[in-house]
Amino acid sequence: MTSTAEKPGNSGFSHYSNGKVFAVAPMIDWTDTFCRRFHRLLTRNALLYTEMIVADAILHGKRDRLLDFDASEHPLALQLGGSDPHKLAEAVRIASDWGYDEINLNVGCPSDRVQAGTFGACLMREPETVEACIRAMKTASSVPVTVKCRIGVDDQQPEDVLPDFLKRMIGAGADAIWVHARKAWLKGLSPKENREVPPLDYALVYRMREENPDVFIGINGGITTLEDASEHLKHVDGVMLGRAAYNNATILTGVDSQIYGCPEMPTDWDAIRDSMMEQAARHIAQGGRLVHLTRHMVGLFQGFAGARRFRQILSADGPKPNAGPEVIAQAFAAVDIEAGLVRSA
């Protein structure tokens, strides 16, 4: 194992025991280590998640490539996919050497690929299987084991399904439950449509929190601003943003002050630029490409004068074979940061 992460000393509950939690959702093909290092420059306190990693991949694949992360990414949760309690427990045991702050089980992804593996949202139909998985994962983990689920799938009635599902998860020892407040339609809707078409039912998630006051329940789905997040936090313990935070990463610069109550300080854009350039230089020196980092930065500066040019530089020059860190400097130079939020033409 060649992880650069520092093991957190099994402190475990720290990010769930200190009040409300803001999280950036796990997103396949998006929230890789380069994305997370970038997001960590924008917020010190948000809980970050890996992409979903299938338990079989950890058991049989290249573990360093799958599990390595940088110490700066803490607090960081590992999201697993699977439906075999024994395989999931073994994956948790293996991952424990990397020092993640949480292990999360995906019971929400509706993609065909995930369904073919009998995990993700289709497991909402098999709560007893998920219950067994959580029990097994708990026996192998020294940090919180959590679940990310939907309110139901297909023709299920969420008012009946979700209370029973949560009861089972709580009984199995789940330390936190993150609920995407939409159904997933496993046939007929694409993953993108499943994030937008099924109606949101925030009230149901709020009610689950009221009925389970001793369990951390967080909400996900359709939340786009920190103002929205703050409203949700009046009813639940945590708020999770996915594509809204990724596509408009500037949102994350307000998390520490608006959600966690830290003293408000001006964002040090020069330090962020310099850190990304340093990371890029190291990655390129190791045989990587600039675009592995810059593809995650394109959504920065939405609403700022010069944002369009910023995107153009990163999108056009970042993928070039010989692109270097200077591309990041050029992109930042195109933004009129002093002018603040002045929309570009």
Side-chain angles (χ1 to χ4, degrees):
M1 184 187 71
T2 58
S3 173
T4 57
E6 296 175 359
K7 197 165 184 177
N10 299 334
S11 56
F13 282 91
S14 58
H15 58 283
Y16 284 127
S17 58
N18 295 330
K20 304 297 185 180
V21 174
F22 179 98
V24 178
M27 292 174 279
I28 295 174
D29 297 326
W30 290 17
T31 51
D32 61 19
T33 186
F34 301 111
C35 171
R36 299 189 305 261
R37 293 181 207 181
F38 170 53
H39 285 174
R40 186 55 75 211
L41 294 173
L42 307 176
T43 167
R44 297 184 304 277
N45 295 296
L47 173 61
L48 304 181
Y49 280 79
T50 69
E51 305 169 84
M52 182 188 68
I53 303 175
V54 179
D56 274 333
I58 294 175
L59 268 58
H60 307 295
K62 296 181 179 179
R63 295 169 184 173
D64 286 354
R65 181 178 63 81
L66 292 167
L67 296 172
D68 273 1
F69 63 93
D70 189 82
S72 66
E73 298 174 40
H74 288 299
L76 177 63
L78 168 66
Q79 187 181 65
L80 296 178
S83 58
D84 184 311
H86 301 293
K87 290 182 178 180
L88 283 164
E90 184 58 26
V92 171
R93 290 188 188 96
I94 292 169
S96 66
D97 286 339
W98 270 260
Y100 287 93
D101 300 289
E102 171 187 333
I103 308 293
N104 177 268
L105 181 63
N106 183 319
V107 191
C109 182
S111 75
D112 291 340
R113 182 176 64 177
V114 168
Q115 290 183 58
T118 320
F119 50 92
C122 65
L123 287 175
M124 293 297 297
R125 295 196 190 111
E126 302 180 32
E128 67 284 348
T129 298
V130 184
E131 184 178 5
C133 290
I134 294 300
R135 290 188 188 279
M137 293 166 69
K138 286 285 292 183
T139 65
S141 180
S142 59
V143 297
V145 172
T146 68
V147 180
K148 187 172 187 292
C149 66
R150 293 276 184 146
I151 62 174
V153 297
D154 297 337
D155 294 325
Q156 288 182 331
Q157 297 301 314
E159 296 82 0
D160 299 325
V161 169
L162 190 60
D164 177 69
F165 184 86
L166 296 189
K167 181 179 179 181
R168 288 176 178 272
M169 297 307 102
I170 295 166
D175 296 295
I177 303 164
W178 290 93
V179 184
H180 187 149
R182 303 180 195 266
K183 271 189 180 182
W185 287 95
L186 303 180
K187 301 296 181 184
L189 292 182
S190 68
K192 181 178 185 296
E193 290 169 329
N194 262 303
R195 295 191 297 270
E196 300 169 352
V197 175
L200 289 156
D201 192 347
Y202 294 140
L204 177 60
V205 183
Y206 293 170
R207 181 157 60 84
M208 294 301 96
R209 176 62 182 81
E210 291 174 1
E211 294 177 3
N212 300 279
D214 298 325
V215 180
F216 181 103
I217 293 180
I219 200 165
N220 173 225
I223 306 166
T224 59
T225 68
L226 294 186
E227 289 71 28
D228 290 343
S230 296
E231 284 301 309
H232 284 295
L233 287 172
K234 295 176 182 177
H235 306 278
V236 292
D237 302 296
V239 171
M240 180 180 282
L241 271 67
R243 280 150 183 81
Y246 185 95
N247 293 326
N248 184 12
T250 310
I251 286 175
L252 298 177
T253 62
V255 167
D256 294 346
S257 59
Q258 294 185 48
I259 303 298
Y260 289 95
C262 299
E264 188 166 0
M265 299 178 64
T267 302
D268 191 338
W269 294 111
D270 289 345
I272 292 169
R273 176 200 62 205
D274 293 346
S275 179
M276 292 307 297
M277 290 178 67
E278 291 168 6
Q279 290 183 44
R282 290 196 301 271
H283 182 57
I284 293 168
Q286 294 168 358
R289 297 182 58 195
L290 181 69
V291 70
H292 296 157
L293 287 76
T294 55
R295 73 186 186 97
H296 301 301
M297 301 172 61
V298 174
L300 196 62
F301 294 124
Q302 274 196 33
F304 281 67
R308 179 179 296 180
R309 182 60 183 147
F310 176 85
R311 293 192 297 271
Q312 288 173 340
I313 292 171
L314 292 185
S315 298
D317 296 340
K320 291 179 178 178
N322 296 319
E326 68 279 357
V327 172
I328 296 174
Q330 292 164 7
F332 269 75
V335 182
D336 187 354
I337 295 173
E338 293 298 322
L341 288 172
V342 178
R343 292 203 172 275
S344 55

